[in-house]
Amino acid sequence: ENLETKKKLFRELEAVAPEHTIFTSNTSSIPITDIAVAAKRKDRFGGLHFFNPVPMMKLLEVIRIPATSDATFDKLLAFGKDMEKVTVSCKDTPGFIVNRLLVPYMLEAVRMVERGDASIQDVDTAMKLGAGYPMGPFELSDYVGLDTMKFILDGWSKNYPDNPLFKPSSLLDKMVAQGKLGRKSGEGFYPYKK
């Protein structure tokens, strides 16, 4: 999730890749258009957003930038179907479909706890039993990684400072600074055994 690294990589790839090559990036938060700036063949550029764990998760978001040709986009959709993924199409909007809805949802749960509206456990229980979600927002945040959430939020907040959905969270910032990143560090909103 480093824009400059991705741009450098695509400049290098484009210099040696055959003319028919389609360029794509898997990213959770960086606009595909910003990555494609490095490419000369923007008509052959698009985004593929896979979900973890990739072998188990069936969804693939296929992202089209304004310059993506119909032929390129059709090939990206076909590629996903050949991988036995269910593909959904999306324009190059922050977070595409899933993360654009999911990250603000998880952050609003954090804000509820920051305000003292409810406890972590009660929010998770309410969303599992009341909304039928398999995980509550805090369980999911720990699974995704609090550092990943912060990275996405920081990028969106920088690029869209007037959008209140992308406002930073002091609790999230504090937890990441303390190394409480979720499952991968052994502690996030919940403790985990390593």
Side-chain angles (χ1 to χ4, degrees):
E1 293 293 289
N2 183 301
L3 178 60
E4 293 311 312
T5 300
K6 286 180 181 278
K7 285 171 33 178
K8 180 179 183 284
L9 174 67
F10 282 108
R11 275 192 296 272
E12 292 171 1
L13 288 173
E14 193 171 44
V16 297
E19 197 59 38
H20 66 274
T21 303
I22 293 175
F23 300 97
T24 184
S25 182
N26 180 49
T27 175
S28 298
S29 62
I30 300 172
I32 299 299
T33 303
D34 290 357
I35 301 167
V37 163
K40 293 181 179 127
R41 298 180 250 173
K42 291 179 181 53
D43 63 314
R44 303 194 62 75
F45 211 104
L48 296 174
H49 183 212
F50 291 88
F51 295 84
N52 284 320
V54 174
M56 295 175 61
M57 299 297 280
K58 290 292 186 191
L59 184 66
L60 175 62
E61 292 176 322
V62 182
I63 296 87
R64 179 181 206 141
I65 63 173
T68 306
S69 72
D70 289 342
T72 296
F73 194 68
D74 290 345
K75 286 180 183 173
L76 291 173
L77 290 169
F79 174 73
K81 289 182 177 134
D82 287 347
M83 293 180 64
E84 299 183 357
K85 298 292 184 188
V86 175
T87 59
V88 294
S89 304
C90 185
K91 289 183 180 176
D92 193 18
T93 187
F96 316 122
I97 298 170
V98 173
N99 283 345
R100 179 63 182 265
L101 295 171
L102 191 60
V103 171
Y105 156 74
M106 293 188 296
L107 285 164
E108 184 56 25
V110 172
R111 290 183 183 112
M112 288 186 78
V113 168
E114 285 176 326
R115 290 189 303 262
D117 296 340
S119 71
I120 291 168
Q121 295 81 4
D122 286 343
V123 170
D124 276 351
T125 298
M127 293 311 294
K128 288 189 290 189
L129 300 180
Y133 290 7
M135 288 183 176
F138 292 100
E139 292 168 312
L140 184 57
S141 296
D142 279 353
Y143 182 81
V144 167
L146 304 188
D147 54 334
T148 301
M149 281 182 55
K150 178 176 168 26
F151 180 83
I152 292 169
L153 182 61
D154 287 350
W156 290 356
S157 180
K158 178 183 169 199
N159 291 334
Y160 309 96
D162 297 330
N163 190 327
L165 292 176
F166 304 155
K167 189 177 98 177
S169 158
S170 59
L171 177 57
L172 182 63
D173 290 347
K174 177 182 169 188
M175 292 180 73
V176 170
Q178 292 173 340
K180 296 178 181 179
L181 310 179
R183 288 184 171 272
K184 62 182 151 192
S185 70
E187 184 178 359
F189 290 109
Y190 295 100
Y192 300 92
K193 292 183 176 168
K194 286 188 172 187

